[in-house]
């Protein structure tokens, strides 16, 4: 992913609200499956890591990207943005 594409995805993510929250139990199979389903439908999602989660948000982002076959767009503080292009009928057109 180029820096222009990453910047474009970041600008799209700025207007989004997090659709998942990762808390005390960190990454469970149910959370990962829910995120996988969401990213398959939306292409771009934002995830929030709560204060009571003891794991590092960057590590969580890497694990999520690996298990959902997506790309980490950004990790700022406790917010993670993931992107996975749709196989067909893509809603997001990268520059």
């Amino acid at each position: 992913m180029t820096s222009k594409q990453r910047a474009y995805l970041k600008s799209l993510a700025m207007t989004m609200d997090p659709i998942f929250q990762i808390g005390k139990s960190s990454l469970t199979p149910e959370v990962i499956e829910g995120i996988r389903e969401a990213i398959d439908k939306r292409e771009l999602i934002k995830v929030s890591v709560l204060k009571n989660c003891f794991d590092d948000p960057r590590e969580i982002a890497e694990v999520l990207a690996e298990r959902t076959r997506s790309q980490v767009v950004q990790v700022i503080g406790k917010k993670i943005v993931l992107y996975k292009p749709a196989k067909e009928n893509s809603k997001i057109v990268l520059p």
Side-chain angles (χ1 to χ4, degrees), residues 28-62:
T28 61
E30 293 81 17
V31 169
I32 293 171
E33 186 58 34
I35 291 174
R36 180 180 294 127
E37 289 174 8
I39 203 164
D40 284 341
K41 290 180 184 175
R42 294 187 175 101
E43 295 183 70
L44 185 70
I45 64 168
K46 187 185 272 189
V47 178
S48 178
V49 180
L50 300 177
K51 291 180 183 179
N52 63 356
C53 182
F54 297 113
D55 295 330
D56 182 41
R58 291 195 186 279
E59 291 175 7
I60 291 174
E62 292 302 321

Side-chain angles (χ1 to χ4, degrees), residues 1-7 9 71-73 83-85 94:
M1 177 181 309
T2 66
S3 60
K4 276 188 176 184
Q5 292 170 335
R6 190 174 303 279
L9 291 173
Q71 296 178 10
V72 178
V73 174
Y83 172 70
K84 181 178 179 184
L94 295 178

Side-chain angles (χ1 to χ4, degrees), residues 47-92:
V47 178
S48 178
V49 180
L50 300 177
K51 291 180 183 179
N52 63 356
C53 182
F54 297 113
D55 295 330
D56 182 41
R58 291 195 186 279
E59 291 175 7
I60 291 174
E62 292 302 321
V63 170
L64 281 173
E66 178 185 329
R67 294 191 182 164
T68 60
R69 295 185 175 97
S70 61
Q71 296 178 10
V72 178
V73 174
Q74 81 180 57
V75 179
I76 294 184
K78 299 278 188 174
K79 303 283 190 244
I80 300 168
V81 179
L82 298 171
Y83 172 70
K84 181 178 179 184
K87 293 179 182 174
E88 51 191 54
N89 299 334
S90 181
K91 296 177 185 174
I92 299 173

